[in-house]
Amino acid sequence: MADPAAPRLRLDKFLWFARVVKTRSAAQALAEDGRLRINGRVIDRSHAPVGVGDVLSFAVHGKVRVLRIETLPVRRGPPAEARALYSEIEG
């Protein structure tokens, strides 16, 4: 689990910056749907804070994805930059 004093970012912004979803609205919908977990806790709000070391798990496009946040973004960059923000954990 991440250090509480460490920098945090809104969940919906992280999902959008990391290009997990195409739009911020889609990121908000995914978060508010109640099927996303941060470190095993069910999340139902898009403004939940995430930080380095947090583990996100959710289903998207019929596939369960588990991601560990490696670094927080400062912008929505190109796909190669976005892919470096997290590591995929194989189940």
Side-chain angles (χ1 to χ4, degrees):
M1 188 155 191
D3 176 12
R8 311 293 276 169
L9 183 68
R10 283 177 58 115
L11 174 61
D12 59 337
K13 285 180 109 176
F14 177 81
L15 293 172
W16 184 58
F17 286 174
R19 294 181 174 266
V20 174
V21 293
K22 290 187 179 190
T23 65
R24 186 143 174 224
S25 299
Q28 290 171 339
L30 178 64
E32 292 171 356
D33 196 25
R35 292 191 219 155
L36 190 141
R37 294 176 183 259
I38 299 175
N39 299 325
R41 290 180 304 121
V42 176
I43 300 299
D44 61 357
R45 54 198 170 100
S46 61
H47 63 274
V50 295
V52 174
D54 286 343
V55 176
L56 310 178
S57 54
F58 55 93
V60 64
H61 304 297
K63 179 183 170 189
V64 175
R65 295 187 70 187
V66 182
L67 312 176
R68 177 180 292 115
I69 299 173
E70 301 296 339
T71 185
L72 292 178
V74 292
R75 67 184 184 110
R76 182 175 165 91
E81 185 179 308
R83 181 65 180 94
L85 298 175
Y86 60 88
S87 60
E88 192 101 25
I89 300 172
E90 298 297 325

